[in-house]
């Protein structure tokens, strides 16, 4: 099975993380979304840059078509936040018109993952500027979740951060009343800390990358087990 991934041009994180987590039954193929609005990953201009990636979707999906992917993901969570939860169906329709019926968004994958886990009360960790972080909180509230706590990472560039930063951010975001921790952002490295966080905090941890892979495996009915990256992916071997 082949997964096509539309990724912001400057994102150095999701590619190695998906390769690291993917089971043997899945190959992953990337196409980069271009934008001219500022420094990739930089806080300055991120809102304009994020929305600008949508203009690159036609060209990027055409380049992916050559490898005939079985599913395609728009791997940029923040673009869904800025277009809003109410507009997610229209964004998905636009993506599927370009990439086929098994196309999905990273935010849509997270939504499905949270429902699968029975999440209701979220501790939200975001690595975005204030405007996008606020949009993220609003998105998940509109999706029907209670955001119990929210911690924002104030960073000049998400792509310069480390797994240890993600670990500390999630710990800071956690609250006793939350039943699930959501670490948003495909540019923040998280693959190596999800298991550790779940053991330390005693609750599920969902990330943009893990949810993206999990949802792809569900869609494609890939049954290779995926262990070591959190409880969400341990269920990937039992697709619905």
């Amino acid at each position: 099975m082949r997964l096509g991934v539309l990724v912001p041009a400057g994102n150095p994180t999701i590619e190695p993380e998906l390769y690291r987590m993917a089971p043997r039954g899945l190959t992953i193929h990337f196409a980069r979304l271009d934008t001219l609005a500022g420094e990739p990953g930089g806080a300055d201009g991120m809102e304009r840059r994020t929305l600008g990636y949508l203009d690159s979707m036609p060209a990027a999906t055409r380049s992916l078509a050559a490898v005939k992917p079985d599913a395609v993901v728009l791997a940029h969570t923040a673009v869904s936040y800025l277009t809003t939860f109410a507009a997610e169906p229209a964004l998905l329709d636009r993506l599927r018109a370009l990439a086929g019926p098994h196309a999905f968004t990273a935010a849509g994958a997270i939504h499905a993952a949270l429902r699968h886990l029975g999440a209701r009360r979220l501790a939200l960790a975001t690595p975005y500027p204030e405007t996008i972080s606020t949009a993220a909180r609003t998105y998940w509230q509109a999706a029907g979740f209670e955001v119990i706590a929210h911690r924002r990472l104030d960073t000049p560039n998400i792509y310069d951060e480390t797994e240890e930063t993600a670990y500390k951010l999630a710990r800071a975001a956690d609250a006793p009343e939350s039943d699930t921790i959501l670490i948003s952002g495909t540019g923040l490295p998280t693959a190596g800390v999800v298991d550790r966080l779940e053991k330390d905090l005693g609750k599920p941890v969902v990330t943009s990358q893990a949810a993206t892979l999990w949802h792809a495996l569900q869609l494609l009915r890939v049954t290779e087990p995926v262990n070591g990256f959190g409880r969400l992916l341990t269920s990937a071997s039992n697709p619905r």
Side-chain angles (χ1 to χ4, degrees):
M1 289 292 183
R2 298 173 183 173
L3 174 63
V5 183
L6 303 172
V7 60
N11 186 331
T13 305
I14 190 170
E15 206 162 348
E17 293 223 322
L18 288 181
Y19 287 144
R20 179 178 175 183
M21 296 187 292
R24 290 172 298 171
L26 183 73
T27 62
I28 308 176
H29 311 272
F30 292 81
R32 297 196 169 265
L33 300 164
D34 206 7
T35 181
L36 301 178
E39 177 68 19
D44 291 343
M46 184 178 286
E47 186 172 350
R48 177 170 165 249
R49 186 167 59 251
T50 295
L51 292 173
Y53 289 127
L54 294 173
D55 296 330
S56 298
M57 285 202 310
T61 52
R62 281 195 299 271
S63 72
L64 271 178
V67 298
K68 299 179 180 179
D70 298 289
V72 173
V73 59
L74 176 58
H76 192 24
T77 324
V79 75
S80 289
Y81 297 157
L82 290 177
T83 53
T84 76
F85 181 75
E88 181 77 11
L91 175 60
L92 189 57
D93 286 346
R94 181 179 174 186
L95 179 61
R96 286 178 173 170
L98 293 167
H102 280 170
F104 63 98
T105 66
I110 292 170
H111 192 187
L114 292 173
R115 294 298 185 194
H116 173 78
L117 292 169
R120 293 179 296 162
R121 299 180 300 276
L122 303 182
L124 176 63
T126 57
Y128 313 120
E130 187 65 46
T131 53
I132 301 179
S133 290
T134 299
R137 182 171 187 145
T138 300
Y139 185 99
W140 294 116
Q141 289 170 331
F145 300 96
E146 187 177 359
V147 180
I148 295 292
H150 179 197
R151 181 60 64 95
R152 182 179 74 87
L153 176 65
D154 189 8
T155 176
N157 195 304
I158 183 177
Y159 299 151
D160 292 336
E161 301 301 336
T162 65
E163 286 186 341
E164 192 61 28
T165 299
Y167 176 85
K168 292 176 181 177
L169 176 64
R171 289 295 300 257
D174 185 34
E177 301 86 0
S178 66
D179 56 40
T180 306
I181 296 172
L182 170 56
I183 309 175
S184 186
T186 62
L188 187 65
T190 56
V193 298
V194 175
D195 254 3
R196 178 181 164 198
L197 282 166
E198 290 188 341
K199 289 172 184 174
D200 290 349
L201 301 176
K203 62 188 69 174
V205 175
V206 174
T207 73
S208 293
Q209 288 92 310
T212 290
L213 180 59
W214 173 83
H215 194 55
L217 297 178
Q218 300 295 299
L219 284 173
L220 301 178
R221 304 194 66 80
V222 175
T223 58
E224 285 283 333
V226 180
N227 298 312
F229 302 103
R231 68 181 72 178
L232 174 66
L233 279 168
T234 63
S235 67
S237 60
N238 297 295
R240 294 179 173 181

